Amino acid sequence: MPIKHIGLINPISIKKFEFSWYEKNESVEFETFENIPDFFVNDESSLTKIQSDFYNEVKFPNYDDVDDFGSLIDKASKSIFAKKLDEEIPIGARVLEAGCGTGQLSIFLSRFNREIFSIDISKGSLIEAKKFIDKCNIKNVYISRMNIFKNFFQENFFDVVISNGVLHHTHNTELAFKKIAKLLKPNGHILIGLYHKQGRFLHSIRQKIIGNFGKRFQFLDGFFKLNVSDSKKKAWYLDQYKNPWETSHTASELLDWFEDANIDYVSSIPFDFNSNKKLFDKRKIPSKSKLLIKESLETFKLKNLKEGGFFIIIGKKKK
C-alpha cells in the first residue's frame, strides 16, 4: 500500500519508517521497494528519468571486489580523500550524501556513531547498497530514493552534505547545488565534486574517440588495463563514455555559488590540496587571477586523463 503524507520529511523518522510531515501544501503518495523508502517525485526535466534509468543499469561502483565491511574499509582507506573525510567528520554527525549511487562512501563513513542519510534516483543502485547494508548488519545508514530537485528534507538539518560526481549529471547543476546547500546547518561543511571545464578537455577528446569507435581505442584509457572485473569495466565504460548528459564547471563558478548560498570557502582539490593538512582546515580563498591561471593549467595535465578532470571544493556555512 502506498504511504500518503503531506509536507516535509523529518529525516530522523526515516530510521523507523515513521514519516513526520508539516507544511500542509502538497499531498504525495510514496511506496517502498525492497524495503527502501521511495520518495521520488519527478521534476520538469525528462533528463531526470533518463538518468534514473541509465544508472539502474550501470550500478556504479559495484561490489565485485568488496566482500564485507572490513574489505570496504580497506578499499576506501586507500583513497586519501575518503580517509581524511572519515577522520575529520565528527563523531555522531548527521551526514547527507546526495547521489550516493551504490552507497560505498556512505557505508565507509558510517563508523563513529554517525547518522548517514543517503539518497539517489536509481533503484538498481540503491538495491545494491541495501543488500550490502543488510549483509553487514549496518544500522545507521538510511537510504531512500529521492530527487535532489524535489527533496523533502528539512532545511538546516545536516552537519555535513556531500555530493561528489553527481550534480554535473543533472539538468541544472547550479539549482541542484542550491537545493542541497539549504539542507546544511550553519557551521556545517559541504563538499561538492564536479567535472572541471579545463581539466575535462583531454578526456572529452578521448570520449569522442572511444565513444564513436569503441573497444579498438580503449587502450587510451588506463582503467581498461587494470586487473578488475569485466562488470567494473563495463560500468566505467558506460559511465564515462555513454552517459546521457554531463556538464563541466570551473572552481571560480562554484565559488560564486558558495557566496550566493552564504557558504565560506574552506579548501579545494586540487588547487590548494596538501596531504599534510586537514580537508576542513580553512585556507585563504584564492584570488580570481591566481585561480584563473591554475584552472587554465588543468587543460593539458596528463593526470586528468586518469582522474577524468575532476575537482572538489569544500565550504562551511556561515552562521
Side-chain angles (χ1 to χ4, degrees):
M1 291 291 292
I3 306 165
K4 187 170 183 177
H5 290 289
I6 299 172
L8 299 177
I9 297 169
N10 175 353
I12 293 300
S13 65
I14 290 179
K15 295 186 289 187
K16 297 182 179 179
F17 282 68
E18 296 171 356
F19 308 118
S20 302
W21 300 76
Y22 46 95
E23 285 195 5
K24 298 180 179 179
N25 57 3
E26 185 178 3
S27 179
V28 185
E29 288 191 350
F30 300 103
E31 298 182 345
T32 63
F33 60 96
E34 302 294 329
N35 210 30
I36 299 169
D38 190 351
F39 301 124
F40 180 80
V41 175
N42 212 346
D43 52 48
E44 68 279 2
S45 173
S46 60
L47 180 63
T48 302
K49 185 179 185 305
I50 291 170
Q51 288 289 36
S52 174
D53 293 342
F54 177 76
Y55 280 105
N56 275 334
E57 179 182 359
V58 174
K59 301 179 183 68
F60 185 76
N62 62 36
Y63 284 88
D64 286 354
D65 56 351
V66 179
D67 296 321
D68 52 30
F69 188 55
S71 58
L72 176 64
I73 296 296
D74 290 342
K75 175 187 174 183
S77 295
K78 294 175 183 177
S79 161
I80 295 175
F81 169 72
K83 187 172 184 294
K84 282 181 171 291
L85 197 55
D86 188 42
E87 291 170 350
E88 295 179 41
I89 294 178
I91 294 172
R94 290 174 181 165
V95 180
L96 170 67
E97 185 179 10
C100 64
T102 56
Q104 292 190 18
L105 180 60
S106 288
I107 294 167
F108 172 63
L109 296 175
S110 67
R111 298 184 294 175
F112 309 120
N113 201 36
R114 297 174 185 132
E115 294 179 321
I116 313 293
F117 296 85
S118 311
I119 64 172
D120 204 273
I121 60 173
S122 165
K123 286 185 176 181
S125 295
L126 291 170
I127 288 170
E128 290 300 304
K130 186 68 163 57
K131 287 177 183 176
F132 193 82
I133 288 168
D134 289 347
K135 175 183 175 181
C136 298
N137 197 31
I138 297 167
K139 300 299 185 183
N140 59 327
V141 176
Y142 313 109
I143 62 173
S144 57
R145 184 171 181 246
M146 197 180 296
N147 183 347
I148 286 173
F149 296 100
K150 294 283 187 178
N151 79 78
F152 295 99
F153 287 129
Q154 297 177 53
E155 295 183 5
N156 305 309
F157 183 83
F158 294 100
D159 299 298
V160 180
V161 172
I162 302 167
S163 189
N164 202 19
V166 176
L167 304 187
H168 51 229
H169 290 308
T170 68
H171 63 85
N172 189 325
T173 309
E174 182 178 3
L175 179 59
F177 165 76
K178 289 178 179 178
K179 291 288 186 180
I180 61 173
K182 291 179 179 179
L183 308 178
L184 183 66
K185 280 181 180 179
N187 285 328
H189 286 89
I190 187 166
L191 299 91
I192 304 294
L194 298 172
Y195 288 143
H196 190 265
K197 187 166 288 185
Q198 284 81 15
R200 198 74 170 158
F201 175 72
L202 290 177
H203 181 74
S204 67
I205 296 173
R206 186 170 63 187
Q207 275 181 320
K208 289 181 173 60
I209 296 172
I210 295 178
N212 290 328
F213 299 103
K215 292 184 177 180
R216 287 178 296 167
F217 289 89
Q218 286 186 358
F219 67 88
L220 295 173
D221 188 333
F223 186 87
F224 296 111
K225 300 175 185 178
L226 296 178
N227 184 26
V228 296
S229 66
D230 288 342
S231 61
K232 267 196 182 304
K233 290 179 180 179
K234 180 182 177 181
W236 176 259
Y237 172 74
L238 291 172
D239 184 60
Q240 291 294 309
Y241 298 101
K242 293 297 181 181
N243 203 295
W245 179 258
E246 70 172 53
T247 55
S248 56
H249 304 271
T250 65
S252 297
E253 184 181 4
L254 188 48
L255 286 176
D256 288 339
W257 299 353
F258 272 36
E259 186 176 352
D260 290 342
N262 200 36
I263 293 172
D264 273 331
Y265 174 82
V266 173
S267 66
S268 64
I269 302 173
F271 302 111
D272 60 12
F273 178 70
N274 185 329
S275 60
N276 295 319
K277 290 187 176 182
K278 293 182 177 181
L279 295 174
F280 291 173
D281 281 349
K282 182 171 175 55
R283 277 71 146 176
K284 182 180 178 181
I285 187 168
S287 68
K288 293 283 186 178
S289 57
K290 286 184 179 179
L291 194 54
L292 178 62
I293 294 171
K294 287 185 177 182
E295 295 203 83
S296 298
L297 292 174
E298 291 294 307
T299 303
F300 298 107
K301 286 186 177 179
L302 292 179
K303 71 175 181 63
N304 286 327
L305 281 174
K306 179 181 178 182
E307 299 172 3
F310 197 77
F311 75 104
I312 296 170
I313 292 189
I314 301 169
K316 184 176 182 180
K317 195 169 189 178
K318 299 175 186 177
K319 291 184 180 179

